[in-house]
């Protein structure tokens, strides 16, 4: 059970208590669920009773006592204790952790993807600057992972190296408030080959600009229609009439009041890069621009290419490569991953009937929420920093995955291998969304 799922479980408990007349409050829109602190009881804790105490006109512990039986009877919850002034501490079934690993291994690189924004058209517009363009490209990738139809645009014509070197694809350029159509890049991406970019759904016949169905022009990862090029560009009025338009990017004004947008967002204007990141190449260059928060000035330095612990990109890639190596080594030893209870590697066994979740398990469970937040805020930096958290946690686990000496592979080894493989899957999927390669060897 992920924190998001547990939060919904808590909300259902509150709703049931209200429906039964046990509480007289308005059901909140959301509740906060956090990991239990070290030494605390259970896996997660929530302050929902403190949140509802004033509206209910009752002490927090009384509210917690009312909610406790509703929460204790929920699927996947094995126990609920009240601590402090009214915190509800929740212990989850061991199967919840096992189910998380199984879910990650089943979905693979698409773990954390959703259809929350399915059918919504999103315009990601950025300033005419290399970091803004790379952030826009990464934000578009993350938005598509949540089901959105995305079009990227830039305030000015993008430099060719932004795409050829850094992989930042911009669909159109121009200001969003201009009354005339913007110019659109006229080189369609290649279709054939294993490295072909996502296909684009296109119209069979070029419609008039004013009546264009905008949803047909947006990149759709799983669109069955191959990319085609319109033989004749549609008529364009105004000073931009001489602009050449090719392929599915039929020119229309970027601002369309009749098309609903998901999460309206101002143009992306992160702090510009102090110098060009092109010498760093695609992987290090993109990481240097995406990892810092938008208000922080990115550090463009050869340090991003150095293979050492102080380089976060190296740690993320190294952790992924180590996981892949461990999986290969396990195959050589004749055993495979099998999700199950993972004992504490530091102590060799569980420390309590309901131990707090390992940092790695918690980070993996948080990944879908991180993707959703990164899509909402157009913040690929959140994803980059979370990948560092996952990498650091799995590197602690890896020394305990394989048996040592004459030790035979046990259920614990298989469970740790499954958890490590799940972490490697999340690292690979996250790097793909950032537009960075996840190598199997370093």
């Amino acid at each position: 059970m992920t924190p998001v799922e547990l939060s919904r479980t808590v909300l259902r408990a509150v709703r049931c208590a209200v429906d039964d007349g046990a509480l007289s409050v308005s059901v909140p829109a959301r509740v906060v669920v956090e990991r239990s602190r070290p030494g605390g009881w259970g896996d997660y804790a929530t302050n929902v009773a403190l949140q509802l105490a004033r509206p209910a006109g009752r002490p927090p512990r009384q509210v917690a006592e009312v909610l406790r039986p509703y929460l204790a009877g929920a699927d996947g919850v094995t126990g609920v204790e009240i601590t402090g002034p009214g915190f509800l501490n929740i212990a989850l079934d061991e199967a919840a952790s096992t189910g998380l690993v199984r879910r990650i291994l089943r979905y693979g690189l698409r773990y954390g993807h959703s259809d929350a924004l399915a059918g919504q058209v999103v315009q990601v517009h950025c300033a005419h600057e290399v970091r803004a363009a790379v952030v826009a490209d990464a934000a578009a990738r993350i938005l598509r992972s949540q089901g959105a139809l995305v079009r990227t645009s830039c305030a000015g014509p993008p430099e060719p190296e932004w795409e050829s070197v850094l992989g930042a694809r911009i669909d159109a350029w121009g200001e969003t408030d201009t009354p005339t159509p913007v110019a659109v890049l006229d080189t369609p991406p290649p279709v054939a080959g294993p490295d072909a970019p996502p296909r684009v759904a296109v119209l069979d016949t070029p419609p008039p600009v004013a009546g264009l169905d905008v949803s047909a022009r947006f990149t759709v990862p799983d669109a069955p229609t191959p990319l085609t090029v319109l033989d004749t560009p549609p008529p364009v009025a105004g000073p931009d009439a001489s602009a050449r338009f090719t392929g599915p990017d039929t020119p229309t004004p970027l601002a369309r009041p009749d098309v609903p947008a998901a999460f309206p967002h101002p143009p992306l204007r992160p702090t510009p890069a102090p110098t060009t990141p092109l010498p760093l190449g695609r992987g290090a260059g993109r990481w240097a621009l995406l990892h810092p928060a938008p208000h922080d000035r990115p550090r463009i330095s050869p340090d991003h290419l150095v293979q050492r612990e102080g380089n976060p990109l190296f740690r993320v890639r190294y952790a992924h490569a180590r996981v892949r190596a461990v999986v290969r080594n396990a195959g050589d030893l004749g055993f495979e991953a099998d999700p199950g209870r993972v004992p504490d590697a530091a102590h060799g066994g569980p420390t309590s009937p309901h131990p707090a979740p390992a940092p790695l398990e918690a980070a993996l469970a948080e990944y879908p929420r991180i993707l959703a937040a990164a899509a909402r805020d157009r913040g690929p930096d959140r994803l980059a920093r979370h990948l560092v958290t996952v990498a650091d946690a799995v590197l602690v686990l890896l020394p305990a995955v394989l048996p040592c000496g004459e030790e035979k592979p046990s259920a614990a080894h298989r469970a740790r291998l499954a958890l490590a493989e799940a972490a490697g899957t999340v690292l690979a999927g996250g790097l793909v969304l950032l537009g960075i390669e996840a190598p199997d060897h370093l």
Side-chain angles (χ1 to χ4, degrees):
M1 184 181 298
T2 67
V4 173
E5 293 169 338
L6 183 57
S7 177
R8 293 171 183 162
T9 299
V10 174
L11 282 176
R12 282 196 295 270
V14 174
R15 189 173 294 109
C16 290
V18 171
D19 292 343
D20 291 348
L23 279 180
S24 180
V25 295
S26 298
V27 179
R30 60 185 296 270
V31 296
V32 177
V33 174
E34 298 178 339
R35 296 194 299 271
S36 298
R37 295 178 180 177
W41 191 92
D43 300 314
Y44 289 91
T46 177
N47 65 348
V48 64
L50 284 75
Q51 180 181 347
L52 299 177
R54 178 172 292 181
R58 302 167 71 171
R61 285 192 69 91
Q62 284 189 14
V63 175
E65 289 288 355
V66 170
L67 294 177
R68 181 180 177 181
Y70 292 96
L71 194 53
D75 291 339
V77 175
T78 59
V80 180
E81 292 291 338
I82 301 172
T83 60
F87 292 101
L88 286 163
N89 287 56
I90 306 165
L92 300 180
D93 188 351
E94 292 179 16
S97 174
T98 302
L100 170 67
V101 175
R102 291 187 187 278
R103 187 161 59 250
I104 295 173
L105 297 181
R106 181 172 68 251
Y107 285 105
L109 298 182
R110 295 186 63 83
Y111 169 68
H113 293 208
S114 78
D115 58 357
L117 303 182
Q120 297 197 50
V121 175
V122 182
Q123 179 75 41
V124 179
H125 189 65
C126 67
H128 184 252
E129 189 269 331
V130 61
R131 186 187 186 193
V134 171
V135 170
D137 177 77
R141 294 166 183 261
I142 297 171
L143 282 161
R144 291 183 187 113
S145 77
Q146 304 303 298
L149 302 172
V150 187
R151 178 183 174 90
T152 55
S153 59
C154 184
E159 301 297 330
E161 294 82 3
W162 295 358
E163 181 174 1
S164 63
V165 178
L166 298 176
R169 175 162 175 78
I170 301 297
D171 299 319
W173 61 266
E175 293 296 342
T176 57
D177 56 354
T178 55
T180 56
V182 298
V184 181
L185 302 184
D186 62 6
T187 304
V191 176
D195 298 325
R199 292 178 173 182
V200 179
V202 298
L203 301 175
D204 294 330
T205 305
V209 173
L212 180 65
D213 180 1
V214 175
S215 65
R217 296 183 291 106
F218 287 75
T219 302
V220 184
D222 297 320
T225 308
L227 180 70
T228 60
V229 179
L230 301 180
D231 295 329
T232 305
V236 183
D240 293 331
S242 61
R244 177 170 178 257
F245 298 97
T246 307
D249 294 316
T250 309
T252 56
L254 291 179
R256 283 289 300 272
D258 58 319
V259 177
F263 305 137
H265 199 280
L268 299 178
R269 303 181 188 276
T271 301
T275 185
T276 177
L278 297 177
L280 297 179
R282 175 163 178 162
R286 287 181 71 98
W287 182 270
L289 300 175
L290 295 174
H291 181 252
H295 57 271
D296 292 335
R297 184 173 296 277
R299 182 174 54 87
I300 309 300
S301 163
D303 290 345
H304 293 289
L305 300 171
V306 177
Q307 296 189 4
R308 63 185 180 193
E309 187 177 355
N311 179 2
L313 174 60
F314 169 71
R315 295 209 305 276
V316 172
R317 285 175 145 178
Y318 176 69
H320 175 264
R322 278 285 309 278
V323 167
R324 301 312 307 161
V326 166
V327 171
R328 292 191 298 269
N329 293 340
D332 293 339
L333 293 175
F335 75 97
E336 298 178 346
D338 183 17
R341 183 182 180 89
V342 179
D344 189 335
H347 300 91
T351 57
S352 71
H354 301 295
L360 177 57
E361 292 174 334
L364 298 180
E366 285 283 298
Y367 182 71
R369 186 186 68 81
I370 294 296
L371 284 187
R376 180 192 65 229
D377 301 334
R378 314 290 197 270
D381 59 295
R382 300 186 65 161
L383 173 57
R385 290 194 295 273
H386 191 71
L387 294 183
V388 177
T389 300
V390 173
D392 290 344
V394 74
L395 286 172
V396 174
L397 172 74
L398 288 177
V401 171
L402 299 177
C404 299
E406 299 298 322
E407 187 180 10
K408 300 296 183 182
S410 65
H413 292 113
R414 294 182 175 88
R416 293 190 189 112
L417 179 61
L419 181 58
E421 192 171 352
T425 300
V426 167
L427 291 174
L431 286 173
V432 167
L433 291 177
L434 294 178
I436 299 173
E437 181 187 5
D440 285 353
H441 303 271
L442 275 183

